[in-house]
Amino acid sequence: QKEVEQDPGPLSVPEGAIVSLNCTYSNSAFQYFMWYRQYSRKGPELLMYTYSSGNKEDGRFTAQVDKSSKYISLFIRDSQPSDSATYLCAMTDQGAQKLVFGQGTRLTINP
Amino acid sequence: DAGVIQSPRHEVTEMGQEVTLRCKPISGHDYLFWYRQTMMRGLELLIYFNNNVPIDDSGMPEDRFSAKMPNASFSTLKIQPSEPRDSAVYFCASSFGGGTNEKLFFGSGTQLSVL
């Protein structure tokens, strides 16, 4: 079993829809949770960063962490065609320098 | 700053040949990471350096892979001999202070095809 599981999709939704992307993990030591966005033929770039449990909001994006369920989510409100990309969750534990990435979910927003 | 610079962008080679991938991290960053991305396995960490010193190479698949960082502004990942299963996108990333609390900056990657 992988440490981090993420449905690779693809996921296709109409413009304006609310998108929900999710990851589950098995290592209870993970405390730092991130979402990276990767456009085609580009490297990933950090989108959201959260520590421990709770929610974090940044514009149209909300990251949620539920450590009791070992489950993290990224919500995108009022989705736009420019949000079309692959979204990768990533996480690590205290003091570690290595991020463990999910496989990535390929998302397409249709105009 | 131009960001993390990787070269070449694309590499096509034949099985058995030596392949060298290059990376210039962002100036001032003290951590450098090499990742490999495939459809099947996603993004995998191969090796990372701190202040030019290799810290963890447990992700390097086998002895055919080697990585060096002779100075703070340059790193190489070498595959010798290359095999078709090495075909992937190889990313270099750098950060100041590591990947836990600090943002990783990725290059645009090298698309490697081994025929």
Side-chain angles (χ1 to χ4, degrees):
Chain A
Q1 183 190 4
K2 291 181 182 178
E3 271 192 297
V4 179
E5 298 277 0
Q6 184 177 9
D7 185 341
L11 181 62
S12 182
V13 301
E15 182 176 354
I18 296 175
V19 176
S20 172
L21 305 169
N22 312 293
C23 289
T24 59
Y25 62 95
S26 57
N27 188 345
S28 58
F30 286 151
Q31 295 187 53
Y32 299 88
F33 304 92
M34 296 144 220
W35 286 94
Y36 279 77
R37 179 175 60 194
Q38 184 177 18
Y39 290 115
S40 180
R41 296 180 183 157
K42 297 286 186 183
E45 55 180 349
L46 183 65
L47 185 63
M48 296 285 285
Y49 171 93
T50 53
Y51 169 68
S52 195
S53 287
N55 292 0
K56 184 173 183 179
E57 191 172 318
D58 184 1
R60 298 183 294 109
F61 298 88
T62 299
Q64 258 183 17
V65 175
D66 181 350
K67 290 189 70 180
S68 62
S69 302
K70 297 191 181 67
Y71 187 87
I72 70 170
S73 301
L74 177 71
F75 297 95
I76 307 174
R77 291 184 301 280
D78 187 24
S79 55
Q80 304 293 311
S82 59
D83 296 328
S84 299
T86 296
Y87 290 80
L88 302 104
C89 62
M91 50 199 78
T92 189
D93 55 24
Q94 177 68 37
Q97 304 303 329
K98 297 164 56 169
L99 288 182
V100 180
F101 281 86
Q103 195 169 353
T105 300
R106 186 174 171 187
L107 172 67
T108 300
I109 308 298
N110 301 303
Chain B
D1 200 315
V4 176
I5 299 173
Q6 290 187 247
S7 64
R9 283 300 309 272
H10 304 275
E11 177 81 29
V12 180
T13 191
E14 293 187 348
M15 183 173 64
Q17 296 298 306
E18 178 179 296
V19 175
T20 300
L21 311 180
R22 297 173 176 79
C23 175
K24 176 178 167 56
I26 292 173
S27 177
H29 282 187
D30 57 347
Y31 281 83
L32 184 138
F33 303 80
W34 281 101
Y35 283 89
R36 177 172 69 176
Q37 187 175 40
T38 61
M39 290 290 289
M40 290 296 294
R41 301 174 68 92
L43 200 60
E44 302 174 284
L45 177 64
L46 301 176
I47 185 171
Y48 77 92
F49 296 82
N50 177 217
N51 292 322
N52 313 337
V53 176
I55 302 299
D56 186 342
D57 66 353
S58 59
M60 297 285 259
E62 48 198 274
D63 292 344
R64 297 185 298 107
F65 286 70
S66 63
K68 293 182 180 179
M69 193 165 184
N71 57 61
S73 58
F74 184 66
S75 177
T76 59
L77 178 68
K78 186 176 292 187
I79 308 172
Q80 165 64 22
S82 57
E83 296 183 3
R85 60 192 167 123
D86 302 330
S87 298
V89 182
Y90 290 80
F91 287 102
C92 175
S94 70
S95 71
F96 180 71
T100 302
N101 297 321
E102 300 299 327
K103 185 172 159 178
L104 277 184
F105 291 81
F106 283 82
S108 293
T110 295
Q111 173 77 59
L112 174 63
S113 298
V114 183
L115 308 178

